[in-house]
Amino acid sequence: MTIQQISVFLENKTGQLSEITDILSENHIDLRAIHIAETTDYGVLRVIVDKPQEAASILLDHGFILSMTPVVAVAVPDRPGGLASVLRILSKEEIDIEYMYSVFGQSNGLAYMIFRVSDAARLDAVLTANSLSSAKGEDLGIH
């Protein structure tokens, strides 16, 4: 099952990240995960929030350039080797991970990782076949 990630393109200048988090906070939008990839001139801020459509609309209204991307939140056993066991399965099944990052918090002995892959449906099938699961939006507090 996919959830929506917001990718915001940022100039590499002081205060941009603070501006975005202030805007989200002022609009009562809660961050679930955050990741920044950067180069010398620009960055890409990737966020998972509780209200993705509302957040995207607000950020667009403030002049930010963004895109919405389907990603998969994978439940990972929260123990030493938990992520390694999931990655081993994906490697064996030749699922190429474009990127991944973690979600804030955990529940019921599970942590969650956000995976961007080319075929989310195949990833879901592989997870199910190996007694693993992807998270639903509700599992992460996403409306």
Side-chain angles (χ1 to χ4, degrees):
M1 167 169 275
T2 62
I3 58 175
Q4 289 298 309
Q5 167 190 272
I6 302 171
S7 297
V8 185
F9 300 92
L10 304 173
E11 291 179 60
N12 196 356
K13 67 178 188 179
T14 304
Q16 286 248 289
L17 185 56
S18 176
E19 181 181 358
I20 289 173
T21 57
D22 283 345
I23 290 167
L24 295 175
S25 174
E26 290 164 3
N27 287 279
H28 309 286
I29 294 172
D30 197 11
L31 290 169
R32 298 294 185 232
I34 186 168
H35 176 266
I36 300 172
E38 54 88 22
T39 67
T40 303
D41 299 323
Y42 68 93
V44 177
L45 171 68
R46 295 181 175 118
V47 294
I48 305 294
V49 298
D50 63 340
K51 298 177 265 187
Q53 297 301 327
E54 185 179 337
S57 178
I58 290 165
L59 291 172
L60 285 169
D61 288 347
H62 280 84
F64 289 98
I65 299 169
L66 61 85
S67 64
M68 300 284 282
T69 307
V71 293
V72 179
V74 176
V76 176
D78 190 16
R79 59 173 166 70
L83 178 60
S85 65
V86 172
L87 294 176
R88 191 175 315 108
I89 291 167
L90 301 186
S91 176
K92 178 181 164 222
E93 296 294 330
E94 297 183 0
I95 293 180
D96 185 37
I97 300 167
E98 294 176 24
Y99 57 81
M100 68 178 214
Y101 54 96
S102 63
V103 175
F104 300 149
Q106 63 179 16
S107 66
N108 301 322
L110 296 172
Y112 292 94
M113 296 293 294
I114 301 296
F115 284 85
R116 170 70 171 148
V117 297
S118 61
D119 188 345
R122 182 162 178 259
L123 174 57
D124 266 339
V126 166
L127 292 172
T128 300
N130 286 276
S131 301
L132 297 167
S133 64
S134 60
K136 298 179 184 109
E138 309 85 67
D139 297 333
L140 302 177
I142 299 170
H143 310 290

